[in-house]
Amino acid sequence: MKKFPLTAAFWTMCGTAAAEGSPQAAIELYVDSATRQIYAEPGPGRQRLGRFVQAPDAPAPAVAPVPAERTVAAPAPAPSSKHWYDRIGIRGYVQMRYNQEVGGDAKDLKSPGDRYIGREQGFGIRRARVVISGDVTDRMSIYIQPDLASTPSGSSTGNFAQLRDAYADLWLDPEKTWRIRAGQSKIPYGWEDLQSSQNRLALDRADALNSAVRDERDLGVFLYWSPKEAKERFAYLQKSGLKGSGDYGMFGVGVYNGQGANRPDRNDRLHTVVHFSYPFKFANGQYLEVGADAYTGRYKVSTASATIEGRTFTPTVNESDAGSTDRRIAAHVVYYPQPFGFQAEWTVGEGPQLDVARRTIRTRSLRGGYAQLMYRFEGVNGVFIPYAKWQTYRGAAKFDTNAPKMSVDELEAGVEWQPSNAIELAVAFANMRRTDVSAAPYRRIDGKLLRMQLQVNY
């Protein structure tokens, strides 16, 4: 990492956040796309109009009397429907990060969740997303999301544009409870993987769940069902500031390629996934979401020459030409921060993993998960959410060359400050013990970091 005064980095981000933090006497308004009725809360079928400030009361202007013999024509009625392009919206966010080593071998750390951890690093743009979405017709919605801060594999230059999502939802009933999703989208496996990075409290996803699907996405076809009650709750949890994961159905099932986002299938064998999640609401208004996911398929591992313990070899894959066995099951529980919150997930399964002693890649078991505590409170200066997250993982990094075993034990504690809807600043301390799976001999490294992230929403 580059040497950079830590206080300067911190106060630079704080100053940017505080500049947007003055309170605004405004409310969010939403319009029902069918009835055109205005609401002050989000809900199914309601589109965001924006933030509005109440106009001061003023006496009504005097109206001249209309002579009796004159007839005033009534205004022409407004069109009852919009063109499809009038229903499309654009939004997005940008995340800027800075990591400072504070102990151990932090300079040698490598993390799949943050490429700006390690030697000779300074400020970096972690994500720069633009979302184009909306209802093309009453029965079809689209969602397109590129990332303008991607780094291609093997490249030393960042901030390339790369597709993240491109799919259509085809609604099967007027109530929009059943839908088919076709295209490249998130795979419904793991609650935290489904949660947008724009809403996630911790800076990175847990490796145990995130190691299942590369970039959390793939190309496939899925069927989702969300009854009205669950649909309304999913929408509220995402838009209310409680950091929900969105509506991926109370129940979902689908098939997808299995090699990850923006990568072609390599074995003509599709993965299959099943998803269930339900948000309970207690009498006091508290929300609790529980669920489980599972997937199965065959994964093709990439191999190359490696030197480990003085031996140079290229491992053989001890599986059929169709690929290695790849299957997992996971469970989650989320007690939303109102104000105290708790979140946890655990996964077990089996998949391809490098066996150094046998110089082969064979099917091995895996396990891991995380637990997170948080507390949300609002003050005159905005919303504050302190949190602490522990994660562990023992299993392969199947996306990396030779599928080396990954050993992760990590503790992160921090706080997120939201001075306004447009700005979020997160500061965290992380104690990491993780395997460097990017290159042989796959050393395990211990290090401590102070991490900062400034997020701008638009």
Side-chain angles (χ1 to χ4, degrees), residues 27 93 141 223 234 283 295 297 345 362 366 374 403 422 430 434:
I27 60 173
Y93 65 99
S141 304
L223 174 67
F234 284 136
Y295 78 84
E345 294 187 75
R362 60 193 186 96
L366 58 87
M374 55 274 200
R434 58 171 56 246

Side-chain angles (χ1 to χ4, degrees), residues 160 173 424:
F160 284 79
D173 60 324
E424 298 178 16

Side-chain angles (χ1 to χ4, degrees), residues 159-179:
N159 300 334
F160 284 79
Q162 188 179 67
L163 188 66
R164 280 292 182 263
D165 299 278
Y167 62 82
D169 280 340
L170 308 176
W171 302 97
L172 303 181
D173 60 324
E175 293 76 22
K176 294 187 176 182
T177 60
W178 289 92
R179 70 187 186 272

Side-chain angles (χ1 to χ4, degrees), residues 141-145 164-169 179 181-186 220 248:
S141 304
I142 63 168
Y143 189 100
I144 301 173
Q145 178 180 215
R164 280 292 182 263
D165 299 278
Y167 62 82
D169 280 340
R179 70 187 186 272
R181 176 167 295 178
Q184 179 165 293
S185 67
K186 285 191 173 183
Y248 288 85

Side-chain angles (χ1 to χ4, degrees), residues 127-145:
R127 293 175 179 89
R129 303 288 175 87
V130 178
V131 177
I132 303 171
S133 63
D135 297 328
V136 177
T137 70
D138 292 338
R139 291 294 185 93
M140 187 181 79
S141 304
I142 63 168
Y143 189 100
I144 301 173
Q145 178 180 215

Side-chain angles (χ1 to χ4, degrees), residues 135 197 303 305 307 326:
D135 297 328
S197 296
T303 60
S305 176
T307 301
D326 180 25

